[in-house]
Amino acid sequence: MDATSPDKIIVEGFQHFFETADGPVQATGLIDLKIPAAEFVTLVGPSGCGKTTLLKAIAGFITPTRGRIVCDGKTVTGPGRDRGVVFQELAILPWRTVRRNIGHGLEIAGVPKAERERTVARLVALTGLKGFEDRYPHELSGGMRQRVAVARTWAADPDIILMDEPFAAVDAMTRLTLQEELASLTFSTRKTVFFITHSVDEAVFLADRVLVMSKRPGRIKASIEVPRRKAGGRDWESFTTDPEMQAICEQVLRLVRDERMDGAARPGETPDPLKEAS
Amino acid sequence: MTMTAVSAPAAAGAPPRRPSPLASGLLGAGKFLAPFAAVVALWWAIKAGFDLPDRILVSPYQVLVTFWNLLSRGVLADYAATSLYQIGVAVVVSAVVGIPLGFAIGSNAYVARALGLFLRFFQGVSGISWLPLAIIWFGFTDTTVQVIVVYTLVVPVIFNTMLGVRAIPPSYALALRSLGAGTFRVVKDVYLPGALPSIVVGLRLGMGYGWRALIAAEMLIRQGGLGDLIFGARTFGQIDRIICGMIAIGVLYVVVDRLIVQPIENLTVARWGVLRK
Ligand SMILES: Nc1ncnc2c1ncn2[C@@H]1O[C@H](COP(=O)(O)OP(=O)(O)OP(=O)(O)O)[C@@H](O)[C@H]1O
Ligand SMILES: [Mg+2]
């Protein structure tokens, strides 16, 4: 890690345009962001505001039109194994079994088979995929495929985990388990996480900090601190009964809803990043 | 595949009784052979009904006799071997040349777009239309036949390999790079398996086109092969020989396609599953 900065990820003057047949399309507004090491940051915002675009820039899949991304003190120029990605479209390989998809990162890293199998077995159990190890992705449900994608990134054990709505298609029960596991695992292993979601509850439950984006082209319009996770992570039972947490949920919800409703009535207006609903 | 009729009504709870494997095998074969039998019957009826002389049409029986004759004297095997050798060499050459070329073109969006029209153009200029030029350059030789067949085969191989590579979601390669993969890994684990079903389709199509082009080229070049056999037989009005050659052409194609190519295709499709969700 860079000795001069405690920040694991720095987004500096970032702005992105996609080239299309009808000329450039602005995907995000101006974004500046710092994520310290071991922080869990969640990002919410209306559809099309540029959340995935920001994640892709951090992952190194796209070169920013303006500004730069710095990870561990180095400017990002492409993807790397220090930044694991769970894609919105999953991107698990259809010609590999569940086992071989999950173990893929370890295989690339040259981890011996026996050790690889142990890690895979642990993650298969954790994600509730037991009995499906030798199935191909097309034989799984959408939610199961999503769990394979999460397990694959998890198995490779990257410092930074970038996740794009990873639990959107997972059933409610499994989602609760995965969220609790994610919260405690990333806390105990001190992972830096950047997590996109449409669920306000999920965003607050997982986060040390929730970022709210304005509508397209999105900027970060609010950053809400959530009290630090405790050693054991969080659990849903205490979360739903904790008035402080519920107040934060309401605050975030108001910010998001604001963006969706009257945001549309005022096109072109730049939202005030300091606007707080509380 | 085979619809086997269950004769005895199955007792409640018990699995329906299946006919013996031999019986169902015969039934299955019968289903596929029936149309051929119908054509032979029609042929026979025409021959007998119009009382056609042998110089116009011979009887199926006559063809059977000649077929046995050609087979037992090794004539058919000789001509067939030449054709099979030619197509075999063409398949190998096309795979070795066409697959890497298809990859090179497909892995670059700009090149793929630039060459799309070009490849379509040459798809339209059939192998046989190269024959006059090839004869001028290489004479009435095996080389000319080989050039025509390789050309016919390699175009669909290049084209389908390119399509296969283009159809792989870019996120697959990105996901692998995020797992720490280098270029070699990405090619081996993403592009090769991802394009494989399409490559197999290209080879299968190419073989179909190539086989037809081969017979046509052999008819004109006259350096052996089944095309040579049937065209030579025409000179002496040997209708039985012509039909025997035609049967061999069809049988060999079906055998190669059904016994070698299709199983490979089924294997890749079955294992790869529904690639594009
Ligand atoms: N490859 C592309 N070419 C052109 N425009 C693009 C491209 N990718 C995204 N966009 C545009 O950029 C904007 C931001 O897209 P992005 O995928 O980042 O949105 P998002 O916030 O992730 O939305 P969602 O919540 O629906 O996933 C959208 O308006 C989209 O239409
Ligand atoms: Mg998105």
Side-chain angles (χ1 to χ4, degrees):
Chain A
M1 219 174 82
D2 188 7
T4 59
S5 159
D7 294 318
K8 191 83 175 167
I9 304 170
I10 301 172
V11 178
E12 239 172 34
F14 172 76
Q15 206 172 357
H16 196 76
F17 294 79
F18 282 106
E19 289 303 331
T20 68
D22 315 321
V25 168
Q26 184 165 12
T28 72
L30 191 62
I31 295 175
D32 282 287
L33 178 66
K34 284 182 175 163
I35 304 178
E39 189 177 46
F40 199 126
V41 170
T42 55
L43 179 64
V44 290
S47 182
C49 71
K51 301 183 294 296
T52 299
T53 305
L54 177 58
L55 181 137
K56 281 183 175 166
I58 299 173
F61 300 157
I62 56 175
T63 309
T65 313
R66 301 216 183 105
R68 62 176 194 145
I69 314 284
V70 180
C71 283
D72 278 328
K74 288 185 292 286
T75 301
V76 168
T77 54
R81 72 159 304 191
D82 56 321
R83 283 154 289 139
V85 182
V86 180
F87 292 71
Q88 194 166 13
E89 68 270 28
L90 304 185
I92 51 174
L93 302 183
W95 48 84
R96 281 189 168 237
T97 57
V98 167
R99 182 197 307 282
R100 298 196 62 226
N101 262 301
I102 296 176
H104 209 162
L106 300 171
E107 191 184 313
I108 291 167
V111 173
K113 190 157 186 215
E115 192 184 331
R116 208 160 73 209
E117 287 298 315
R118 266 199 304 281
T119 309
V120 170
R122 185 167 56 79
L123 285 165
V124 160
L126 187 69
T127 50
L129 288 167
K130 219 169 215 146
F132 292 91
E133 292 94 331
D134 296 311
R135 297 292 183 84
Y136 286 89
H138 70 96
E139 300 172 294
L140 307 179
S141 70
M144 289 164 95
R145 282 201 283 267
Q146 222 160 22
R147 283 179 267 156
V148 175
V150 171
R152 176 177 70 172
T153 302
W154 215 313
D157 196 29
D159 263 9
I160 297 171
I161 303 181
L162 310 169
M163 301 174 114
D164 199 347
E165 299 182 39
F167 303 146
V170 177
D171 67 285
M173 284 312 295
T174 314
R175 189 181 319 150
L176 297 185
T177 315
L178 287 176
Q179 285 162 340
E180 287 177 352
E181 288 294 344
L182 184 66
S184 74
L185 256 168
T186 50
F187 186 81
S188 60
T189 52
R190 293 186 52 78
K191 300 284 183 206
T192 309
V193 188
F194 181 79
F195 188 108
I196 297 173
T197 175
H198 273 125
S199 154
V200 168
D201 279 349
E202 179 175 73
V204 177
F205 177 80
L206 290 170
D208 297 316
R209 187 153 59 107
V210 181
L211 303 174
V212 183
M213 258 174 108
S214 61
K215 67 179 184 55
R216 186 172 90 97
R219 306 164 58 122
I220 309 282
K221 77 163 195 171
S223 163
I224 295 122
E225 298 285 338
V226 182
R228 290 298 293 181
R229 288 171 287 170
K230 294 182 197 73
R234 295 202 178 106
D235 66 277
W236 276 101
E237 216 160 294
S238 48
F239 179 79
T240 43
T241 52
D242 183 341
E244 191 190 0
M245 288 296 191
Q246 290 310 305
I248 296 172
C249 283
E250 259 165 55
Q251 183 189 356
V252 173
L253 191 62
R254 239 174 293 139
L255 283 165
V256 172
R257 197 177 281 161
D258 208 30
E259 211 43 59
R260 288 211 177 123
M261 296 190 169
D262 55 44
R266 293 174 288 155
E269 194 185 309
T270 319
D272 181 356
L274 299 176
K275 191 173 87 183
E276 287 279 354
S278 51
Chain B
M1 276 281 279
T2 48
M3 287 289 295
T4 48
V6 180
S7 44
R17 190 135 47 91
R18 292 172 162 280
S20 73
L22 182 66
S24 70
L26 283 176
L27 260 173
K31 186 181 68 182
F32 292 118
L33 292 179
F36 290 106
V39 168
V40 171
L42 186 67
W43 164 12
W44 218 318
I46 290 171
K47 164 83 178 159
F50 294 95
D51 196 19
L52 296 174
D54 278 357
R55 61 183 173 78
I56 301 292
L57 185 66
V58 296
S59 73
Y61 177 72
Q62 176 63 45
V63 169
L64 195 68
V65 170
T66 307
F67 200 93
W68 176 248
N69 217 330
L70 289 174
L71 206 61
S72 57
R73 285 187 7 239
V75 177
L76 209 49
D78 196 29
Y79 281 95
T82 307
S83 294
L84 285 175
Y85 173 75
Q86 292 278 44
I87 197 80
V89 170
V91 167
V92 173
V93 171
S94 302
V96 169
V97 174
I99 296 171
L101 260 175
F103 263 97
I105 297 168
S107 51
N108 184 313
Y110 182 79
V111 176
R113 237 176 295 129
L115 290 184
L117 189 70
F118 178 80
L119 282 175
R120 284 250 184 245
F121 173 83
F122 282 103
Q123 238 178 358
V125 183
S126 66
I128 278 301
S129 49
W130 279 92
L131 200 59
L133 268 186
I135 289 174
I136 290 172
W137 290 337
F138 307 109
F140 285 86
T141 61
D142 267 358
T143 313
T144 296
V145 176
Q146 200 64 75
V147 165
I148 303 301
V149 179
V150 168
Y151 168 86
T152 306
L153 236 157
V154 84
V155 173
V157 171
I158 295 175
F159 199 72
N160 281 279
T161 304
M162 179 199 85
L163 288 184
V165 172
R166 305 284 320 134
I168 300 169
S171 59
Y172 290 2
L174 292 175
L176 239 65
R177 293 209 182 267
S178 295
L179 290 172
T183 304
F184 176 74
R185 255 290 169 183
V186 173
V187 170
K188 179 173 147 296
D189 288 0
V190 175
Y191 289 113
L192 220 49
L196 194 61
S198 195
I199 293 172
V200 174
V201 167
L203 278 168
R204 189 176 179 193
L205 280 177
M207 244 172 86
Y209 302 153
W211 186 242
R212 282 169 244 177
L214 172 66
I215 302 302
E218 283 170 349
M219 289 205 282
L220 283 148
I221 301 301
R222 307 297 308 278
Q223 295 289 322
L226 292 166
D228 185 9
L229 174 75
I230 63 174
F231 211 71
R234 182 207 61 114
T235 324
F236 304 102
Q238 296 163 302
I239 293 190
D240 48 351
R241 246 174 120 108
I242 294 177
I243 297 176
C244 284
M246 289 169 70
I247 292 172
I249 290 167
V251 167
L252 284 179
Y253 177 70
V254 169
V255 166
V256 170
D257 187 66
R258 282 294 160 99
L259 295 189
I260 303 175
V261 186
Q262 208 179 28
I264 296 176
E265 188 175 324
N266 288 346
L267 193 75
T268 57
V269 171
R271 292 211 47 204
W272 271 226
V274 195
L275 261 180
R276 340 254 179 250
K277 293 163 278 185

